[in-house]
Amino acid sequence: SIEGILNGTSNYILSEMYKKEVKYEDALNKAISLGIAESNYKLDVEGFDTASKILILANVLMDANLSLDDIKIQGINNLNKGNILEEKNKGNKIKLIGKAYKDGNKIKSYVRPEIINSEHPLYFVDNKNKGVCYRTDTLGDISVVGGASGTINAAASILRDIVNLNKKSR
């Protein structure tokens, strides 16, 4: 399986709500004012950016043949301060998780807010950072964390993609 926090904007909003105990709207407005959120922030907070990324990971790494229509998508836009504080009081966090997993011979996928505890490898992935956990049949569990979102980070990723495409076309 592949499971991850794949959207820095949503993760930033959830971290703000958790740490500063603010309302969703206040955390979203801060993300917008800092330039963290996309101009169409709904793609971030409604889970579509995460869905696109888990789709690519599943299709490439799990040899799946999924489309966005195959992914059950739920964003963070319906969470409120009470949801966050209730889990904070229990020692948990709510994170927007994208997951692709094997169910028999089929690959299934979803994006949704999930409650995770401090034992979960993604528990300490906060702010604009992202993280992915791979459960493999040969190497066990592998987790990768980092890659904070931002305009310079996005530009670097685009440049890297252009360079790689150029190398492949030669």
Side-chain angles (χ1 to χ4, degrees), residues 9-83:
T9 302
S10 292
N11 203 39
Y12 177 82
I13 291 168
L14 292 172
S15 293
E16 281 290 298
M17 292 174 72
Y18 181 89
K19 291 177 186 173
K20 297 185 179 168
E21 300 186 356
V22 298
K23 296 186 301 187
Y24 167 80
E25 294 79 12
D26 295 336
L28 171 62
N29 287 331
K30 185 170 180 187
I32 291 169
S33 72
L34 293 173
I36 297 166
E38 300 282 344
S39 57
N40 182 0
Y41 64 85
K42 289 183 178 184
L43 295 174
D44 294 323
V45 299
E46 293 180 3
F48 293 101
D49 179 71
T50 298
S52 297
K53 292 172 182 173
I54 199 67
L55 172 72
I56 292 166
L57 289 169
N59 285 346
V60 171
L61 299 177
M62 298 177 81
D63 200 28
N65 190 24
L66 300 175
S67 72
L68 276 177
D69 291 334
D70 298 316
I71 301 176
K72 296 176 185 173
I73 304 171
Q74 179 186 350
I76 65 167
N77 49 310
N78 292 320
L79 292 175
N80 62 52
K81 182 177 169 180
N83 302 131

Side-chain angles (χ1 to χ4, degrees), residues 128-147:
K128 298 180 290 182
N129 286 306
K130 295 175 277 299
V132 183
C133 299
Y134 301 94
R135 176 156 286 151
T136 72
D137 54 355
T138 54
L139 298 174
D141 295 348
I142 301 169
S143 298
V144 180
V145 175

Side-chain angles (χ1 to χ4, degrees), residues 80-111:
N80 62 52
K81 182 177 169 180
N83 302 131
I84 302 297
L85 294 181
E86 179 180 345
E87 292 307 321
K88 182 177 181 177
N89 290 334
K90 296 177 186 175
N92 300 324
K93 291 182 180 177
I94 298 177
K95 298 288 187 178
L96 183 64
I97 301 290
K99 186 169 184 171
Y101 61 97
K102 285 188 176 183
D103 184 14
N105 290 331
K106 294 183 87 175
I107 303 293
K108 294 185 178 180
S109 186
Y110 64 78
V111 173

